[in-house]
Amino acid sequence: GEPSIKALMFRQVQDPASRDEQLRSGRVDMVDDVPRPAWDEFAKSDDVNLHTWWALNLCYLALNVQHEKTSDIQVRKAIQMAVQRDPVVELYYGTARPTYSLVGQTLAEYDPNYLAPGVAQPREERLQQARDLVAQAGADKVKYTLYYPVDDRPYLPQPAKVADKLRQQLTAIGLDVTPLGLPNAEYFNSIQKGEFELALVGWMSDNADADNFYVPLADGDGETGEPASTNAGRIFDRKVHDMLMAAQQLTDEAERIEAYRAVERRLQEQIVGYVPLVNTQQGVAFHKRLQGVEVDPLGHYRFHNATLAGE
C-alpha cells in the first residue's frame, strides 16, 4: 500500500545539544547516531523513544605492514600484546564491548573463544615480552605517530581520548608514540594511500556478511597484489587471498564459519596488520509522535509503515 508519510527532509545539525533539543521539542522527528552521553536522558524522556542495537561494526588499530616503521612483524606483535581493551571500552559510556577479531561480533563467523597469541597471558608477562620485542627490533629508538580522525564516528565517539589511551599503553612497552588528529576527509584519503604507520580506524558492514569485513580490510587485487583502498593495514597475503576466494564459494554454514575463522587466525598469527579493539552499540531516537519506523541491524531505516501523529 501507499506510505502514510509522503516526504522526508534531512537536516544536518552540527551541534549535538541543539540537535537533541530540536528532537525533544518536536521540531525534528528523528535523530540518527545519537551521541552516547544523551542515551540515558532520552531513555527517561516522556517525548522521545530511544532505539539501540549491537551494530555490525568494529573499531581497530591498523598497523601498516608496508610502512618502514611498522614493517617488522616483531614490532607489530609487541603492539598486539600491549593493547588492553577494557580501558578503551570505558571511554564509550557503557555502549561498547571488547572485540578480538576483524569480523563483526554478532556474526556466526566471529569466534568468541579466539585470542591472538600471548593476549591471554597475565598482563605483566605480556608487557615484558612486548618490551623485549621492541628492544630487539630497535623500535625504542623510533618516533611513531598514531593518526586518528578528529570527528566522531559511530564506532569512535571520542577519537582523541581513545588515541591517547593507546598511546599510554604503547609507551609502557618502550614505544615513543604521538597521537595526531586530522580532519576526516584528509584522514581517510591518506589511509587509502598507505601513509600512516599506526591508524585508529573502524568499519561498518554494508551487507552483514563476513566477507564484507575481510576483503575490504585485509585483502586486495589478486592480480597486482595491491591492497584495497579501505585496507588500512596495507595487508596482502596470497594465502589469505586464496582462502577468502574459496570461502566466497561455500554454501554450507559450518564450512563457511570455519573458513573465515581460519582466515582470522592466519591474519593475527602470521601477519598482524591490525589489533581489534571494540564493537559498539548504535542508537537512534524518535519523537513519540513518529511511530512504526523499522531499523535493521545494519542501521537502515524503513519508513514505509511509519505514521506521524497529527499528519
Side-chain angles (χ1 to χ4, degrees), residues 12-307:
Q12 188 174 34
V13 182
Q14 296 288 351
D15 178 46
S18 173
R19 185 175 55 205
D20 296 350
E21 175 52 36
Q22 289 186 43
L23 179 64
R24 284 191 295 268
S25 65
R27 283 179 286 167
V28 302
D29 299 294
M30 174 180 171
V31 168
D32 176 36
D33 193 25
V34 179
R36 285 148 179 81
W39 284 21
D40 288 344
E41 181 182 352
F42 279 159
K44 299 173 185 175
S45 172
D46 293 332
D47 302 311
V48 174
N49 287 321
L50 178 69
H51 175 76
T52 64
W53 71 100
W54 284 105
L56 276 166
N57 68 17
L58 83 154
C59 180
Y60 65 99
L61 176 63
L63 316 177
N64 187 341
V65 302
Q66 297 184 1
H67 196 284
E68 61 179 359
K69 294 183 179 181
T70 42
S71 61
D72 188 333
I73 193 171
Q74 299 296 83
V75 175
R76 302 197 302 274
K77 284 185 175 181
I79 293 171
Q80 182 185 55
M81 286 193 291
V83 169
Q84 189 176 12
R85 291 159 178 82
D86 288 344
V88 175
V89 168
E90 291 173 2
L91 299 173
Y92 281 75
Y93 307 101
T95 64
R97 56 189 174 187
T99 202
Y100 296 90
S101 295
L102 196 64
V103 71
Q105 198 168 139
T106 56
L107 296 181
E109 290 81 0
Y110 182 90
D111 185 349
N113 299 313
Y114 179 73
L115 295 175
V119 172
Q121 296 181 78
R123 178 147 179 80
E124 282 309 314
E125 290 183 19
R126 276 195 288 149
L127 289 179
Q128 188 55 57
Q129 289 184 26
R131 292 187 195 105
D132 292 342
L133 291 173
V134 165
Q136 292 166 16
D140 50 345
K141 301 175 180 63
V142 178
K143 293 186 180 296
Y144 292 85
T145 303
L146 169 55
Y147 296 87
Y148 65 90
V150 294
D151 299 318
D152 295 359
R153 303 292 292 154
Y155 50 75
L156 187 57
Q158 298 196 84
K161 289 186 177 181
V162 173
D164 188 63
K165 187 66 69 175
L166 293 174
R167 176 198 63 78
Q168 295 172 35
Q169 295 179 10
L170 298 183
T171 297
I173 62 168
L175 293 180
D176 183 352
V177 178
T178 301
L180 178 63
L182 295 175
N184 282 24
E186 179 183 350
Y187 182 73
F188 290 108
N189 183 54
S190 295
I191 280 183
Q192 292 180 6
K193 298 176 181 177
E195 296 177 351
F196 304 154
E197 66 266 40
L198 302 172
L200 188 56
V201 67
W203 186 252
M204 297 180 290
S205 177
D206 299 318
N207 60 17
D209 194 290
D211 191 71
N212 184 238
F213 286 87
Y214 288 113
V215 169
L217 302 184
D219 196 28
D221 189 311
E223 294 185 6
T224 66
E226 179 68 19
S229 62
T230 46
N231 182 342
R234 311 313 293 161
I235 300 161
F236 186 84
D237 177 76
R238 175 58 60 182
K239 184 171 182 179
V240 164
H241 176 76
D242 292 344
M243 292 168 74
L244 288 171
M245 294 305 100
Q248 289 178 358
Q249 308 306 313
L250 297 174
T251 56
D252 180 83
E253 182 178 5
E255 291 180 359
R256 272 181 55 92
I257 290 172
E258 180 49 40
Y260 283 109
R261 289 182 177 182
V263 168
E264 184 71 47
R265 292 192 293 272
R266 178 165 178 83
L267 285 169
Q268 292 218 47
E269 294 168 17
Q270 304 297 323
I271 299 165
V272 197
Y274 57 83
V275 180
L277 296 173
V278 300
N279 167 228
T280 76
Q281 290 178 285
Q282 287 181 240
V284 294
F286 310 96
H287 194 275
K288 289 194 173 179
R289 68 178 184 172
L290 177 63
Q291 298 288 327
V293 179
E294 298 173 10
V295 184
D296 72 16
L298 291 170
H300 297 152
Y301 323 125
R302 295 184 172 85
F303 286 83
H304 59 286
N305 290 323
T307 59

